[in-house]
Amino acid sequence: MSETLPPCPECSSEYTYALDSLLVCPECAHEWTAAATADDASAEASAEIKDAVGNVLQDGDSVTIVKTMKVKGAQSALKAGTKVRNIRLAPGSGDHDIFAKVDGFGPMELKSSIVKKI
């Protein structure tokens, strides 16, 4: 058998074996399909958050706002060109995938489609 099976996604055991169409871990009794393993790998690859230009963002980056936007509850709008430092990424939290503290506005969630990496 030249095929190597992936480790268990639950306990990372390397002693997995195939049982019909399932993969089974003998240590924790977790069962999963091989397609689920491939889906997880593609989900991790697509979990990269990109800015409006296509640059990959990371925690701690500095960005600028590229589009003036209204902020609910604030008297003024968040203007294009506003710099935001030390962002935190939150993949999988819907459209607003960046947490940041904007000077003059306080903490807020931003969409990656309206920011550009500096």
XYZ file of all heavy atoms in Angstrom:
862
model
N 0.849 -1.173 0.000
C 0.000 0.000 0.000
C 0.894 1.236 0.000
O 1.534 1.547 0.995
C -0.893 -0.043 1.230
C -1.895 1.049 1.294
S -2.884 0.808 2.775
C -4.447 1.210 2.147
N 0.973 1.920 -1.122
C 1.855 3.070 -1.252
C 1.163 4.366 -0.854
O 1.806 5.404 -0.788
C 2.365 3.175 -2.685
O 1.278 3.402 -3.550
N -0.128 4.334 -0.602
C -0.889 5.525 -0.260
C -0.697 5.850 1.221
O -0.852 5.006 2.087
C -2.376 5.275 -0.550
C -3.263 6.443 -0.224
C -4.721 6.114 -0.466
O -4.998 5.153 -1.187
O -5.550 6.816 0.085
N -0.353 7.106 1.518
C -0.245 7.522 2.908
C -1.521 8.242 3.296
O -2.020 9.088 2.559
C 0.957 8.450 3.127
O 0.811 9.581 2.272
C 2.262 7.738 2.837
N -2.052 7.906 4.434
C -3.298 8.497 4.909
C -3.002 9.712 5.783
O -1.991 9.743 6.479
C -4.100 7.452 5.693
C -4.532 6.228 4.883
C -5.166 5.187 5.785
C -5.486 6.626 3.771
N -3.886 10.698 5.772
C -3.662 11.897 6.582
C -3.828 11.584 8.074
O -4.533 10.641 8.437
C -4.759 12.855 6.095
C -5.831 11.979 5.573
C -5.128 10.775 4.999
N -3.195 12.362 8.938
C -3.369 12.139 10.374
C -4.778 12.528 10.819
O -5.489 13.247 10.120
C -2.320 13.051 11.007
C -2.063 14.102 9.988
C -2.268 13.442 8.654
N -5.155 12.063 11.973
C -6.485 12.344 12.519
C -6.642 13.849 12.779
O -5.766 14.458 13.403
C -6.676 11.569 13.823
S -8.215 11.942 14.669
N -7.730 14.466 12.316
C -7.914 15.900 12.556
C -8.254 16.215 14.013
O -8.122 17.351 14.445
C -9.071 16.276 11.624
C -9.765 15.012 11.319
C -8.758 13.920 11.445
N -8.674 15.224 14.785
C -9.036 15.445 16.188
C -7.829 15.358 17.106
O -7.597 16.234 17.919
C -10.088 14.423 16.634
C -11.424 14.590 15.947
C -12.134 15.869 16.339
O -12.174 16.181 17.540
O -12.642 16.548 15.440
N -7.059 14.268 17.007
C -5.956 14.041 17.950
C -4.585 14.012 17.278
O -3.581 13.797 17.938
C -6.187 12.748 18.723
S -6.052 11.265 17.705
N -4.526 14.188 15.970
C -3.284 14.202 15.179
C -2.535 12.868 15.198
O -1.328 12.826 14.989
C -2.359 15.323 15.652
O -2.993 16.562 15.522
N -3.240 11.801 15.448
C -2.618 10.480 15.444
C -2.262 10.089 14.011
O -3.018 10.331 13.078
C -3.578 9.447 16.027
O -3.071 8.141 15.850
N -1.115 9.461 13.853
C -0.680 9.061 12.518
C -1.110 7.643 12.170
O -0.838 7.155 11.089
C 0.840 9.175 12.422
C 1.570 8.314 13.422
C 3.062 8.556 13.418
O 3.506 9.661 13.100
O 3.787 7.598 13.746
N -1.804 6.967 13.084
C -2.181 5.570 12.884
C -3.592 5.418 12.313
O -4.334 4.526 12.698
C -2.066 4.806 14.210
C -0.679 4.871 14.787
C -0.431 5.562 15.953
C 0.383 4.252 14.137
C 0.845 5.634 16.480
C 1.657 4.323 14.651
C 1.884 5.017 15.823
O 3.152 5.089 16.334
N -3.992 6.265 11.394
C -5.321 6.176 10.805
C -5.377 5.029 9.800
O -4.354 4.615 9.257
C -5.696 7.491 10.093
O -4.720 7.772 9.108
C -5.777 8.636 11.083
N -6.568 4.535 9.586
C -6.752 3.477 8.591
C -8.068 3.705 7.853
O -8.953 4.415 8.326
C -6.716 2.082 9.234
C -7.802 1.818 10.254
C -9.004 1.239 9.868
C -7.612 2.116 11.598
C -9.993 0.977 10.799
C -8.587 1.862 12.531
C -9.785 1.289 12.126
O -10.765 1.042 13.048
N -8.170 3.103 6.665
C -9.366 3.244 5.835
C -10.325 2.100 6.133
O -9.932 0.942 6.249
C -8.980 3.227 4.362
N -11.605 2.468 6.267
C -12.669 1.488 6.479
C -13.774 1.857 5.502
O -14.506 2.817 5.723
C -13.168 1.527 7.922
C -14.276 0.563 8.282
C -13.759 -0.876 8.202
C -14.778 0.840 9.685
N -13.875 1.105 4.408
C -14.784 1.430 3.305
C -14.463 2.835 2.803
O -13.362 3.084 2.362
C -16.244 1.275 3.727
C -16.601 -0.171 4.078
O -16.025 -1.081 3.452
O -17.429 -0.375 4.976
N -15.414 3.763 2.877
C -15.165 5.112 2.377
C -14.757 6.077 3.493
O -14.574 7.262 3.249
C -16.422 5.645 1.686
O -17.470 5.762 2.633
N -14.599 5.572 4.720
C -14.242 6.418 5.853
C -12.781 6.233 6.242
O -12.181 5.193 5.990
C -15.110 6.075 7.073
C -16.590 6.371 6.979
C -17.300 5.866 8.224
C -16.832 7.861 6.816
N -12.242 7.230 6.888
C -10.949 7.121 7.545
C -11.235 7.068 9.035
O -12.075 7.803 9.545
C -10.065 8.317 7.205
C -9.693 8.465 5.730
C -8.929 9.758 5.499
C -8.864 7.293 5.271
N -10.533 6.200 9.769
C -10.810 5.976 11.179
C -9.524 6.136 11.976
O -8.458 5.683 11.559
C -11.399 4.561 11.402
C -11.710 4.327 12.864
C -12.634 4.353 10.550
N -9.643 6.746 13.154
C -8.521 6.871 14.069
C -8.700 5.833 15.177
O -9.709 5.851 15.880
C -8.474 8.267 14.670
S -7.198 8.449 15.923
N -7.742 4.927 15.370
C -7.885 3.907 16.403
C -7.680 4.458 17.816
O -8.100 3.835 18.787
C -6.796 2.893 16.060
C -5.771 3.678 15.339
C -6.521 4.741 14.588
N -7.071 5.612 17.959
C -6.798 6.158 19.284
C -7.980 6.911 19.885
O -8.267 6.782 21.061
C -5.561 7.042 19.236
C -4.305 6.231 18.959
C -3.055 7.082 18.995
O -3.132 8.287 19.310
O -1.986 6.531 18.707
N -8.681 7.716 19.061
C -9.804 8.494 19.605
C -11.148 8.082 18.994
O -12.177 8.661 19.330
C -9.580 9.988 19.398
S -9.658 10.529 17.679
N -11.155 7.128 18.085
C -12.352 6.603 17.426
C -13.062 7.635 16.556
O -14.254 7.511 16.277
C -13.316 5.999 18.443
N -12.357 8.647 16.112
C -12.943 9.651 15.218
C -13.024 9.080 13.808
O -12.090 8.433 13.334
C -12.092 10.924 15.227
C -12.606 12.004 14.337
N -13.781 12.660 14.585
C -12.097 12.536 13.201
C -13.979 13.556 13.629
N -12.972 13.499 12.782
N -14.155 9.328 13.134
C -14.350 8.885 11.752
C -14.614 10.091 10.872
O -15.361 10.988 11.245
C -15.524 7.914 11.663
C -15.343 6.646 12.462
C -16.561 5.732 12.385
O -17.608 6.156 11.869
O -16.444 4.583 12.846
N -14.016 10.131 9.686
C -14.233 11.215 8.745
C -13.997 10.705 7.336
O -13.489 9.619 7.142
C -13.314 12.399 9.077
C -11.869 12.197 8.768
C -11.196 12.641 7.676
C -10.897 11.499 9.564
N -9.875 12.266 7.733
C -9.659 11.568 8.884
C -10.949 10.818 10.763
C -8.512 10.982 9.371
C -9.786 10.241 11.253
C -8.591 10.327 10.565
N -14.421 11.520 6.357
C -14.232 11.139 4.962
C -12.973 11.807 4.420
O -12.546 12.840 4.923
C -15.428 11.556 4.096
O -15.546 12.975 4.150
C -16.709 10.905 4.560
N -12.408 11.214 3.398
C -11.215 11.792 2.785
C -11.550 13.120 2.118
O -10.718 14.019 2.062
C -10.620 10.825 1.771
N -12.775 13.271 1.631
C -13.189 14.524 1.006
C -13.224 15.646 2.030
O -12.913 16.795 1.714
C -14.562 14.371 0.354
N -13.579 15.349 3.277
C -13.602 16.367 4.321
C -12.205 16.895 4.591
O -12.009 18.080 4.841
C -14.210 15.802 5.598
N -11.205 16.040 4.519
C -9.821 16.452 4.709
C -9.397 17.393 3.595
O -8.756 18.405 3.841
C -8.892 15.233 4.746
O -9.363 14.331 5.747
C -7.471 15.630 5.059
N -9.781 17.101 2.368
C -9.444 17.962 1.237
C -10.171 19.297 1.346
O -9.606 20.339 1.029
C -9.791 17.273 -0.075
N -11.436 19.280 1.804
C -12.191 20.509 1.975
C -11.564 21.395 3.041
O -11.516 22.614 2.900
C -13.648 20.213 2.354
C -14.429 19.576 1.210
O -13.968 19.667 0.055
O -15.488 18.988 1.487
N -11.067 20.805 4.128
C -10.426 21.567 5.187
C -9.162 22.251 4.680
O -8.894 23.396 5.009
C -10.079 20.670 6.379
C -11.308 20.163 7.110
O -12.391 20.750 6.913
O -11.180 19.179 7.876
N -8.398 21.550 3.859
C -7.169 22.121 3.317
C -7.478 23.287 2.382
O -6.800 24.315 2.408
C -6.369 21.058 2.579
N -8.510 23.150 1.555
C -8.865 24.245 0.649
C -9.473 25.402 1.413
O -9.304 26.556 1.034
C -9.826 23.756 -0.434
O -11.058 23.363 0.130
N -10.175 25.143 2.514
C -10.745 26.212 3.330
C -9.635 27.012 4.010
O -9.720 28.236 4.118
C -11.693 25.642 4.371
N -8.578 26.333 4.457
C -7.464 27.031 5.070
C -6.751 27.902 4.045
O -6.316 29.004 4.355
C -6.487 26.042 5.688
C -7.004 25.390 6.947
C -6.028 24.360 7.499
O -4.884 24.291 7.003
O -6.429 23.631 8.409
N -6.620 27.421 2.830
C -5.964 28.199 1.792
C -6.802 29.408 1.406
O -6.272 30.471 1.106
C -5.703 27.340 0.567
N -8.124 29.268 1.414
C -8.990 30.389 1.058
C -9.267 31.288 2.244
O -9.949 32.287 2.104
C -10.308 29.871 0.479
O -11.041 29.202 1.484
N -8.744 30.969 3.423
C -8.967 31.769 4.615
C -8.113 33.029 4.617
O -8.232 33.837 5.511
C -8.697 30.944 5.866
N -7.239 33.192 3.628
C -6.441 34.400 3.550
C -7.363 35.587 3.320
O -8.250 35.551 2.476
C -5.449 34.313 2.398
C -4.349 33.319 2.598
C -3.390 33.314 1.432
O -3.784 33.733 0.318
O -2.252 32.896 1.631
N -7.138 36.637 4.075
C -7.944 37.849 3.927
C -7.127 38.832 3.113
O -5.981 39.131 3.445
C -8.313 38.415 5.304
C -9.185 37.412 6.039
C -9.020 39.755 5.155
C -9.539 37.815 7.441
N -7.725 39.323 2.032
C -7.034 40.232 1.123
C -7.701 41.595 1.162
O -8.908 41.712 1.374
C -7.056 39.673 -0.299
C -6.304 38.362 -0.412
C -6.258 37.869 -1.818
C -5.479 36.559 -1.869
N -5.363 36.063 -3.227
N -6.900 42.641 0.908
C -7.431 43.998 0.889
C -8.075 44.297 -0.460
O -8.219 43.407 -1.310
C -6.347 45.007 1.245
C -5.231 45.078 0.216
O -5.271 44.352 -0.791
O -4.306 45.878 0.426
N -8.461 45.550 -0.674
C -9.167 45.938 -1.900
C -8.306 45.762 -3.148
O -8.827 45.571 -4.245
C -9.618 47.389 -1.795
N -6.991 45.785 -2.994
C -6.085 45.669 -4.129
C -5.654 44.232 -4.367
O -5.205 43.882 -5.447
C -4.848 46.577 -3.904
C -3.911 46.570 -5.084
C -5.277 47.983 -3.591
N -5.786 43.378 -3.352
C -5.410 41.981 -3.496
C -4.218 41.581 -2.649
O -3.750 40.452 -2.734
N -3.694 42.486 -1.825
C -2.588 42.158 -0.928
C -3.114 41.328 0.237
O -4.182 41.599 0.771
C -1.928 43.426 -0.374
C -1.345 44.292 -1.469
O -0.818 43.783 -2.441
N -1.458 45.589 -1.313
N -2.345 40.348 0.676
C -2.731 39.510 1.803
C -2.485 40.276 3.092
O -1.404 40.821 3.310
C -1.939 38.181 1.812
C -2.294 37.351 3.020
C -2.209 37.405 0.532
N -3.503 40.335 3.949
C -3.399 41.040 5.226
C -3.009 40.080 6.333
O -3.338 38.898 6.284
C -4.734 41.699 5.564
C -5.214 42.785 4.608
C -6.622 43.216 4.964
C -4.281 43.974 4.642
N -2.326 40.608 7.353
C -1.934 39.838 8.527
C -2.234 40.665 9.767
O -2.368 41.888 9.697
C -0.443 39.505 8.483
C -0.045 38.639 7.329
C 1.457 38.398 7.298
O 2.214 38.966 8.065
N 1.887 37.539 6.387
N -2.313 39.989 10.923
C -2.502 40.691 12.186
C -1.362 41.679 12.392
O -0.200 41.370 12.140
C -2.528 39.713 13.358
C -3.835 38.949 13.447
O -4.835 39.397 12.860
O -3.860 37.903 14.111
N -1.707 42.889 12.855
C -0.695 43.904 13.146
C -0.369 44.818 11.987
O 0.397 45.772 12.152
N -0.922 44.572 10.809
C -0.664 45.436 9.655
C -1.298 46.805 9.848
O -2.228 46.982 10.631
C -1.237 44.823 8.373
C -0.377 43.715 7.808
O 0.784 43.594 8.225
O -0.875 42.964 6.950
N -0.805 47.769 9.092
C -1.414 49.087 9.023
C -2.094 49.218 7.668
O -1.548 48.790 6.655
C -0.364 50.184 9.180
O 0.195 50.136 10.465
N -3.284 49.800 7.666
C -4.048 49.945 6.433
C -4.604 51.357 6.346
O -4.629 52.097 7.332
C -5.222 48.928 6.360
C -4.715 47.503 6.299
C -6.172 49.092 7.523
N -5.049 51.733 5.132
C -5.771 52.989 4.944
C -7.142 52.672 4.378
O -7.324 51.685 3.670
C -5.042 53.942 3.970
O -4.871 53.285 2.722
C -3.705 54.374 4.506
N -8.092 53.527 4.686
C -9.453 53.393 4.166
C -9.441 53.931 2.736
O -8.932 55.024 2.482
C -10.453 54.194 5.029
C -10.337 53.822 6.507
C -11.864 54.032 4.516
C -10.765 52.431 6.847
N -9.994 53.195 1.779
C -9.967 53.631 0.380
C -11.280 54.243 -0.067
O -11.361 54.785 -1.164
C -9.594 52.465 -0.574
C -8.195 51.992 -0.297
C -10.577 51.333 -0.478
N -12.302 54.181 0.770
C -13.619 54.659 0.374
C -14.274 55.329 1.574
O -14.321 54.766 2.666
C -14.453 53.459 -0.079
C -15.818 53.745 -0.546
C -16.479 52.436 -0.988
C -17.934 52.641 -1.281
N -18.591 51.395 -1.625
N -14.769 56.557 1.404
C -15.465 57.239 2.489
C -16.733 56.473 2.824
O -17.477 56.068 1.941
C -15.817 58.685 2.074
O -14.603 59.371 1.753
C -16.532 59.410 3.189
N -16.942 56.248 4.135
C -18.122 55.485 4.539
C -18.774 56.114 5.753
O -18.112 56.703 6.600
C -17.744 54.044 4.831
C -16.759 53.869 5.944
S -16.392 52.151 6.190
C -16.588 52.042 7.938
N -20.070 56.010 5.812
C -20.825 56.506 6.956
C -20.707 55.510 8.094
O -20.694 54.303 7.880
C -22.291 56.697 6.590
C -22.522 57.771 5.563
C -23.991 57.904 5.246
C -24.185 58.960 4.173
N -25.593 59.102 3.811
N -20.637 56.033 9.320
C -20.547 55.191 10.504
C -21.803 55.409 11.316
O -22.142 56.543 11.657
C -19.288 55.539 11.343
C -19.227 54.669 12.586
C -18.035 55.382 10.507
N -22.496 54.312 11.601
C -23.725 54.396 12.381
C -23.438 54.987 13.753
O -22.529 54.570 14.451
C -24.303 52.996 12.581
C -25.608 52.765 11.944
C -26.128 51.400 12.325
C -27.084 50.936 11.265
N -27.632 49.636 11.539
N -24.216 55.988 14.147
C -24.070 56.586 15.466
C -23.047 57.697 15.539
O -22.926 58.354 16.567
N -22.277 57.914 14.484
C -21.275 58.979 14.476
C -21.795 60.151 13.652
O -22.562 59.973 12.708
C -19.966 58.476 13.891
N -21.358 61.364 14.031
C -21.830 62.545 13.310
C -21.099 62.756 12.002
O -21.623 63.385 11.090
C -21.678 63.776 14.196
C -22.609 63.741 15.392
C -22.502 64.998 16.220
O -21.654 65.842 15.975
N -23.380 65.116 17.199
N -19.885 62.248 11.901
C -19.125 62.427 10.666
C -18.808 61.071 10.049
O -18.903 60.043 10.696
C -17.825 63.192 10.945
O -17.024 62.471 11.844
N -18.415 61.128 8.801
C -18.091 59.899 8.070
C -16.625 59.552 8.268
O -15.804 60.395 8.624
C -18.386 60.081 6.593
N -16.298 58.306 8.024
C -14.912 57.839 8.045
C -14.355 58.108 6.652
O -14.760 57.500 5.676
C -14.886 56.347 8.379
C -13.556 55.701 8.686
C -12.861 56.417 9.836
C -13.769 54.257 9.054
N -13.438 59.066 6.558
C -12.963 59.554 5.270
C -11.946 58.622 4.623
O -11.214 57.914 5.304
C -12.297 60.921 5.456
C -13.172 61.946 6.107
C -13.673 62.890 5.099
C -14.543 63.914 5.832
N -15.107 64.845 4.967
N -11.911 58.655 3.306
C -10.897 57.904 2.558
C -9.528 58.473 2.904
O -9.360 59.680 3.049
C -11.154 58.020 1.063
N -8.542 57.602 3.074
C -7.199 58.029 3.431
C -6.912 57.947 4.920
O -5.783 58.153 5.333
N -7.926 57.630 5.727
C -7.713 57.493 7.163
C -6.834 56.274 7.427
O -7.090 55.195 6.908
C -9.059 57.325 7.901
O -9.893 58.432 7.599
C -8.860 57.222 9.394
N -5.788 56.461 8.235
C -4.880 55.367 8.542
C -5.380 54.614 9.767
O -5.821 55.202 10.739
C -3.474 55.887 8.804
C -2.818 56.449 7.577
C -1.415 56.921 7.874
C -0.823 57.554 6.623
N 0.495 58.113 6.877
N -5.305 53.301 9.688
C -5.683 52.427 10.789
C -4.485 51.529 11.062
O -4.006 50.848 10.168
C -6.928 51.572 10.433
C -7.314 50.683 11.584
C -8.081 52.461 10.012
N -4.005 51.551 12.310
C -2.822 50.762 12.664
C -3.220 49.560 13.503
O -4.239 49.577 14.194
C -1.846 51.624 13.452
C -1.216 52.719 12.636
C -0.261 53.483 13.499
N -1.030 54.169 14.538
C -1.004 55.456 14.776
N -0.220 56.211 14.071
N -1.733 55.988 15.706
N -2.359 48.550 13.444
C -2.461 47.365 14.297
C -3.835 46.680 14.191
O -4.559 46.576 15.181
C -2.146 47.738 15.747
C -1.788 46.525 16.562
O -1.488 45.463 16.023
N -1.829 46.675 17.860
N -4.166 46.213 13.000
C -5.450 45.536 12.804
C -5.386 44.101 13.322
O -4.311 43.526 13.441
C -5.865 45.536 11.308
C -4.860 44.748 10.466
C -6.048 46.945 10.803
C -5.302 44.502 9.052
N -6.550 43.549 13.642
C -6.674 42.137 14.009
C -7.645 41.499 13.037
O -8.726 42.036 12.790
C -7.200 41.980 15.437
C -6.184 42.387 16.483
C -6.727 42.210 17.879
N -7.857 43.120 18.052
C -8.973 42.818 18.708
N -9.120 41.642 19.243
N -9.948 43.686 18.813
N -7.286 40.358 12.493
C -8.118 39.666 11.520
C -9.046 38.688 12.216
O -8.673 38.049 13.196
C -7.255 38.925 10.505
C -6.275 39.797 9.719
C -5.452 38.938 8.791
C -7.000 40.869 8.958
N -10.258 38.576 11.684
C -11.256 37.647 12.218
C -11.887 36.895 11.055
O -12.992 37.209 10.627
C -12.318 38.407 12.991
N -11.186 35.885 10.502
C -11.756 35.143 9.378
C -12.993 34.369 9.805
O -13.085 33.871 10.923
C -10.632 34.201 8.959
C -9.722 34.123 10.125
C -9.890 35.383 10.908
N -13.954 34.307 8.918
C -15.166 33.537 9.187
C -16.209 34.290 9.981
O -17.175 33.706 10.445
N -16.033 35.594 10.149
C -17.017 36.348 10.914
C -17.909 37.191 10.010
O -18.366 38.251 10.396
C -16.319 37.235 11.955
O -15.540 38.216 11.303
N -18.141 36.730 8.806
C -19.009 37.460 7.885
C -18.226 38.462 7.053
O -17.039 38.286 6.782
N -18.902 39.528 6.644
C -18.282 40.543 5.798
C -17.239 41.361 6.544
O -16.217 41.726 5.996
C -19.340 41.501 5.245
C -20.247 40.834 4.236
O -19.876 39.764 3.727
O -21.317 41.383 3.949
N -17.508 41.686 7.794
C -16.614 42.520 8.584
C -15.557 41.629 9.227
O -15.739 41.100 10.300
C -17.407 43.293 9.640
C -18.382 44.245 9.045
N -19.609 43.852 8.594
C -18.286 45.573 8.807
C -20.248 44.906 8.104
N -19.466 45.963 8.223
N -14.421 41.475 8.529
C -13.413 40.523 8.958
C -12.160 41.161 9.542
O -11.151 40.505 9.723
C -13.046 39.588 7.808
C -12.792 40.317 6.509
O -12.723 41.552 6.514
O -12.669 39.644 5.485
N -12.223 42.462 9.865
C -11.095 43.157 10.477
C -11.594 43.887 11.717
O -12.587 44.617 11.658
C -10.470 44.179 9.497
C -9.920 43.468 8.272
C -9.395 44.995 10.191
C -9.421 44.404 7.196
N -10.904 43.677 12.831
C -11.174 44.440 14.049
C -10.063 45.463 14.187
O -8.883 45.130 14.076
C -11.178 43.532 15.290
C -12.313 42.563 15.316
C -12.062 41.211 15.438
C -13.630 42.982 15.234
C -13.093 40.299 15.472
C -14.671 42.074 15.266
C -14.403 40.737 15.382
N -10.433 46.732 14.440
C -9.434 47.782 14.538
C -9.932 48.897 15.441
O -11.131 49.040 15.680
C -9.128 48.349 13.155
N -8.996 49.697 15.929
C -9.330 50.883 16.702
C -8.974 52.075 15.831
O -7.808 52.308 15.533
C -8.546 50.905 18.006
C -8.942 52.027 18.909
C -8.242 51.917 20.247
C -8.685 53.054 21.134
N -7.992 53.005 22.434
N -9.984 52.820 15.406
C -9.788 53.944 14.506
C -9.756 55.214 15.342
O -10.660 55.461 16.154
C -10.923 54.013 13.459
C -10.711 55.180 12.515
C -11.015 52.710 12.690
N -8.700 56.026 15.169
C -8.575 57.273 15.924
C -9.772 58.174 15.646
O -10.147 58.408 14.495
C -7.288 58.000 15.554
C -6.049 57.253 16.011
O -6.174 56.447 16.957
O -4.971 57.475 15.427
N -10.399 58.665 16.693
C -11.547 59.548 16.571
C -12.872 58.824 16.492
O -13.927 59.437 16.618
N -12.859 57.502 16.266
C -14.087 56.726 16.164
C -14.159 55.600 17.189
O -15.224 55.133 17.517
C -14.242 56.136 14.754
C -14.597 57.155 13.721
C -13.604 57.792 13.005
C -15.915 57.485 13.474
C -13.919 58.733 12.051
C -16.239 58.432 12.522
C -15.234 59.063 11.813
N -13.021 55.109 17.634
C -12.988 54.014 18.597
C -12.911 52.663 17.919
O -12.642 52.562 16.717
N -13.157 51.600 18.687
C -13.066 50.251 18.110
C -14.218 49.980 17.144
O -15.357 50.361 17.399
C -13.141 49.333 19.324
C -13.756 50.148 20.400
C -13.455 51.575 20.107
N -13.901 49.339 16.049
C -14.933 49.003 15.057
C -14.488 47.839 14.196
O -13.326 47.473 14.189
C -15.292 50.206 14.191
C -14.183 50.753 13.379
S -14.587 52.168 12.317
C -16.067 52.799 12.926
N -15.444 47.277 13.489
C -15.185 46.208 12.537
C -15.218 46.793 11.141
O -16.092 47.583 10.816
C -16.233 45.104 12.680
C -16.214 44.423 14.022
C -17.273 43.344 14.144
O -17.885 42.981 13.125
O -17.472 42.876 15.266
N -14.265 46.390 10.309
C -14.175 46.893 8.939
C -14.224 45.738 7.954
O -13.871 44.615 8.280
C -12.853 47.643 8.737
C -12.601 48.858 9.610
C -11.161 49.313 9.447
C -13.554 49.968 9.260
N -14.637 46.057 6.749
C -14.596 45.076 5.663
C -13.232 45.177 4.996
O -12.693 46.264 4.809
C -15.684 45.373 4.625
C -17.077 45.143 5.122
C -18.067 45.404 3.997
C -19.480 45.135 4.445
N -20.427 45.327 3.345
N -12.697 44.036 4.621
C -11.396 44.038 3.959
C -11.483 44.660 2.562
O -10.478 45.091 2.026
C -10.838 42.632 3.865
O -11.726 41.791 3.164
N -12.672 44.751 2.004
C -12.833 45.305 0.657
C -12.727 46.824 0.619
O -12.679 47.401 -0.458
C -14.180 44.868 0.079
O -15.231 45.354 0.874
N -12.678 47.489 1.774
C -12.567 48.955 1.782
C -11.248 49.450 2.345
O -11.086 50.624 2.587
C -13.732 49.605 2.557
C -13.680 49.211 4.012
C -15.054 49.289 1.938
C -14.333 50.215 4.903
N -10.300 48.539 2.564
C -8.999 48.952 3.091
C -7.889 48.566 2.121
O -8.046 47.684 1.293
C -8.706 48.344 4.475
C -9.727 48.782 5.497
C -8.634 46.838 4.419
N -6.752 49.267 2.244
C -5.574 48.968 1.435
C -4.372 48.928 2.364
O -4.197 49.801 3.197
C -5.384 50.046 0.372
C -4.213 49.796 -0.540
C -4.142 50.845 -1.616
C -2.887 51.651 -1.370
N -2.707 52.723 -2.323
N -3.559 47.895 2.218
C -2.378 47.729 3.063
C -1.349 48.824 2.750
O -1.126 49.151 1.595
C -1.775 46.350 2.811
C -0.641 45.982 3.729
C -0.227 44.542 3.460
C 0.901 44.125 4.363
N 1.254 42.729 4.130
N -0.740 49.354 3.797
C 0.284 50.410 3.609
C 1.627 49.753 3.406
O 2.006 48.848 4.068
C 0.346 51.332 4.845
C -0.964 52.072 5.012
C 1.487 52.309 4.709
C -1.035 52.949 6.221
